[in-house]
Amino acid sequence: RGETGSIVRLALAGVALSAALAAANQALVLSNRDAFDEFRLWVAGSLEGRDVTVVESIGPMVAVGLVLAVAIAPSINALALGEESGVALGVRLARTQTITLVSVALLTGAATAAMGPVAFVGLAVPFVVRRAVGNDVRWVNAGSLLLGPAWLLAADVLARVVIAPEETQVGIIATLAGGPLFMAMMSGRQVRSL
């Protein structure tokens, strides 16, 4: 974001870059019919056909990401008081931001590689957990580690029974459940305190 840039500029730049890359991706996919058929199945996320080999391939990334997340949680708690207060408490800002970014990239990258993009689990679950346990990042991480898989499992069960004997993509069900919940929580009064 540069020396004088704001977080809003960073977010807008991310949205613009994402839209440009999505358009390029769609152009490539639509030019090949077989790729389009594969892409349709992958883009909504699915647990179908996933076995222990997937766990073996993403396990190291998940392990490193979790270790980093646990290690950096106290610094993130200090930064929740504000950047100036966090730095005054001894937090090394650039180091904390870098480790957080690496941890998030490893964990989300591994999850997406394993089952495709399953929207709103990573957005809605931490908000639900934060409402239950408070703002301590260590407790939010632990609660999300428990509630996230339970949420995904419930979405998968619903995906298998909604239009049985056919199966809906788990990402569609997770989004249908998580989207409205996330929007309701974001419109609530307590969002400013999060």
Side-chain angles (χ1 to χ4, degrees), residues 46-168:
S46 177
L47 297 177
E48 182 182 353
R50 304 308 189 265
D51 57 12
V52 74
T53 59
V54 173
V55 175
E56 291 169 355
S57 58
I58 67 166
M61 287 187 292
V62 171
V64 172
L66 285 174
V67 167
L68 291 174
V70 168
I72 205 67
S75 295
I76 294 173
N77 276 338
L79 286 175
L81 301 171
E83 285 186 7
E84 291 177 2
S85 298
V87 170
L89 290 170
V91 173
R92 292 172 31 200
L93 186 61
R95 177 180 164 267
T96 300
Q97 290 173 335
T98 302
I99 292 173
T100 301
L101 180 63
V102 169
S103 173
V104 168
L106 286 171
L107 292 171
T108 56
T112 303
M115 68 189 86
V118 178
F120 289 103
V121 175
L123 290 173
V125 168
F127 275 101
V128 171
V129 172
R130 185 170 278 137
R131 286 253 175 113
V133 301
N135 289 332
D136 189 332
V137 174
R138 294 169 294 188
W139 287 107
V140 172
N141 285 348
S144 297
L145 192 62
L146 296 173
L147 183 60
W151 182 295
L152 188 61
L153 181 62
D156 188 48
V157 169
L158 281 173
R160 293 172 191 262
V161 299
V162 166
I163 57 169
E166 299 297 320
E167 181 177 341
T168 307

Side-chain angles (χ1 to χ4, degrees), residues 17-61:
L17 180 62
S18 176
L21 292 175
N25 183 43
Q26 287 180 348
L28 289 172
V29 167
L30 292 175
S31 67
N32 183 332
R33 185 174 179 83
D34 293 333
F36 178 69
D37 289 338
E38 284 292 317
F39 180 74
R40 263 185 327 133
L41 293 174
W42 187 83
V43 75
S46 177
L47 297 177
E48 182 182 353
R50 304 308 189 265
D51 57 12
V52 74
T53 59
V54 173
V55 175
E56 291 169 355
S57 58
I58 67 166
M61 287 187 292

Side-chain angles (χ1 to χ4, degrees), residues 1-2 4-18 97 101:
R1 66 183 173 178
T4 60
S6 70
I7 196 72
V8 174
R9 279 186 163 174
L10 177 65
L12 290 175
V15 168
L17 180 62
S18 176
Q97 290 173 335
L101 180 63

